[in-house]
Amino acid sequence: MHGNKFSPQNCADAAGDIAVDLYPFLRKYKDGRIERLLGSSFVPASEDAATNRGVATRDVTVDDGGSGVSARLFLPWSGDGGGGRGRGRLPLVVYMHGGSFCTESAFGGLYHGYATSLASRTRALVVSVEYCLAPEHPVPAAYDDAWAALRWAASRLDPWLAEHADPRRTFVAGDSAGSNIAFHTCVTASRDGAMDIEGLVMVHPFFWGAEKLPSEKAWDRASMFHPRVVDRLWPLVTAGKAGNDDHRVDPTNEEISSLSCRLVLVAVAEMDPLCDRSRRLAARMRGDVTAAEGEDHVFHLRSPMHATSRKLMEIVVQFINQSAPSPPCVVAPERRARNRKMPKAQLLLSVPSRPYKSVFLSGLRPNPSKSGFGLFFARAEPTSCGAHMDPLSASVSWSIVAKNL
């Protein structure tokens, strides 16, 4: 996410007209106007993979009962120009972008770039969902759109999906609010029983609650947003029809235990006010989580070239492609899930945060004062509210960092 460098509360010429100020997300004016403070410019799709890092893209309208939901497809092409042909069918990743339910777009530069990298690195066919945003379209509109998109993707009516996607390897993924949407989409799919979801990926998931956890009570002025802003977000995106005790933002045990996906991956950023809630959600899937101090909310989007971001991408790649070989830095044993190999745990290295630049790896320097980024794998158990988690955090020498970049 990228926000303005100043709060709209400091804009004297506009403050008197503001009805709701949710910096850094949006502000709503008394005349009904909505100004979104996060977002990135529209990027057109192109089926010419050569212009987009070897990934062809195409925009589609999801035909699911006339819902009108749209999405962008990302198809990695093989060296012979044959798309997924010649390499077998590709994993299918249905991705929900973040943005607090009220900002960002699958068609914007930020998430177009991330989905391109995800498709290229995982060799997966990515369906990035363009769901309706609140407050114009209050929750549950985003959930309905995501469910329609997943059903459409599972039908494989689109020629790219029909030719290249492997329905046995379907993953639902998202970051921030998109993780929340991904979670509830998997819950709906589990209850529906019409499709099998192989895995759920949640990066810095947005969950909250009426009872505040330690990371939600205080603001260190370094994290992206103030907990008080988050506290006001859910009532806004639900048009005042739900508070922070709503099960959609604070899931019930019944919802968690209903998940039938075989694999779950959760990433937590330690400077994120949402981190304690994410850890508690994971613990309710049965297991302990240990995360060292590290980065802030969605750091991998703000600084994708950082070593920490690159390592997070490696984790996601290996999670989706379970048979991929592991790099040399391993800090946890392998686990097996229903006769499938879990990937070896990967170490995420701590790197100082700084604004994103297209190429700046030569300028990286170690920061011994910061520990690492907390990540754990979880294996979902459909018959019991549980999962096993392998905590990942450790320190390594800077020579290993340089060697592995």
Side-chain angles (χ1 to χ4, degrees):
M1 297 179 182
H2 300 277
N4 291 0
K5 294 183 180 297
F6 55 89
S7 169
Q9 291 179 337
N10 297 327
C11 300
D13 58 338
D17 297 326
I18 297 174
V20 179
D21 186 354
L22 283 181
Y23 177 84
F25 307 121
L26 59 73
R27 56 185 172 189
K28 183 177 182 180
Y29 291 89
K30 293 177 180 178
D31 62 5
R33 289 181 295 124
I34 302 295
E35 181 182 9
R36 290 181 165 83
L37 306 174
L38 294 174
S40 49
S41 301
F42 173 81
V43 174
S46 172
E47 296 190 34
D48 183 1
T51 65
N52 191 43
R53 292 180 279 165
V55 178
T57 60
R58 182 164 57 83
D59 293 340
V60 297
T61 298
V62 173
D63 185 15
D64 185 80
S67 63
V69 183
S70 56
R72 178 163 292 181
L73 307 185
F74 295 78
L75 176 64
W77 284 62
S78 60
D80 59 5
R85 294 185 291 271
R87 298 192 179 210
R89 290 192 173 271
L90 307 176
L92 173 62
V93 179
V94 180
Y95 193 86
M96 318 298 175
H97 70 78
S100 309
F101 295 91
C102 57
T103 64
E104 286 297 351
S105 167
F107 304 149
L110 183 67
Y111 283 100
H112 176 90
Y114 180 75
T116 296
S117 296
L118 185 64
S120 175
R121 294 293 310 279
T122 60
R123 307 303 300 174
L125 200 167
V126 176
V127 178
S128 186
V129 182
E130 179 71 350
Y131 56 84
C132 288
L133 300 179
E136 296 92 334
H137 304 276
V139 171
Y143 296 143
D144 295 339
D145 290 350
W147 175 235
L150 178 60
R151 284 170 55 89
W152 173 84
S155 71
R156 295 195 295 149
L157 294 174
D158 183 88
W160 281 11
L161 292 166
E163 184 173 355
H164 303 297
D166 182 353
R168 298 169 302 176
R169 292 188 291 163
T170 298
F171 293 80
V172 181
D175 66 275
S176 193
S179 291
N180 179 296
I181 297 170
F183 171 85
H184 286 288
T185 302
C186 284
V187 169
T188 302
S190 299
R191 291 172 173 173
D192 181 84
M195 67 188 76
D196 292 328
I197 305 299
E198 177 72 359
L200 168 64
V201 179
M202 296 190 292
V203 177
H204 313 161
F206 171 73
F207 292 99
W208 204 245
E211 177 187 353
K212 296 299 173 283
L213 301 180
S215 68
E216 302 165 353
K217 294 179 179 179
W219 185 48
D220 59 5
R221 296 185 177 274
S223 57
M224 174 179 290
F225 42 74
H226 199 294
R228 286 202 305 266
V229 175
V230 185
D231 213 35
R232 298 162 56 202
L233 180 63
W234 194 247
L236 174 73
V237 301
T238 59
K241 295 182 179 180
N244 289 318
D245 58 349
D246 184 14
H247 71 95
R248 294 169 297 186
V249 75
D250 190 6
T252 64
N253 287 331
E254 188 278 328
E255 288 175 309
I256 295 172
S257 62
S258 71
L259 286 172
S260 61
C261 53
R262 307 206 312 164
L263 305 169
V264 176
L265 172 65
V266 179
V268 178
E270 280 300 312
M271 292 175 62
D272 185 359
L274 308 178
C275 67
D276 285 353
R277 186 75 52 174
S278 300
R279 282 198 296 260
R280 193 178 82 162
L281 176 63
R284 290 165 67 190
M285 294 179 177
R286 199 180 69 198
D288 296 327
V289 179
T290 301
E293 293 183 358
E295 301 281 358
D296 196 7
H297 192 69
V298 296
F299 70 88
H300 64 297
L301 298 177
R302 293 181 286 112
S303 302
M305 296 300 291
H306 280 179
T308 317
S309 303
R310 292 157 70 95
K311 286 294 181 183
L312 175 56
M313 177 63 80
E314 288 180 15
I315 292 291
V316 175
V317 168
Q318 292 200 11
F319 178 78
I320 293 173
N321 297 289
Q322 298 286 303
S323 60
S326 300
C329 295
V330 177
V331 296
E334 288 185 311
R335 292 189 183 272
R336 294 180 182 273
R338 297 189 184 181
N339 299 322
R340 287 176 59 93
K341 284 187 176 181
M342 286 292 290
K344 287 187 177 181
Q346 298 302 304
L347 185 64
L348 289 179
L349 309 174
S350 177
V351 179
S353 294
R354 64 182 75 174
Y356 167 72
K357 296 181 181 180
S358 57
V359 178
F360 64 86
L361 291 178
S362 61
L364 290 178
R365 295 292 185 272
N367 185 351
S369 66
K370 298 181 72 175
S371 353
F373 172 79
L375 189 77
F376 57 87
F377 288 106
R379 185 174 72 244
E381 300 288 352
T383 57
S384 63
C385 179
H388 300 292
M389 278 154 283
D390 299 321
L392 306 179
S393 60
S395 59
V396 297
S397 69
W398 187 249
S399 62
I400 296 180
V401 178
K403 181 179 179 181
N404 285 277
L405 285 180

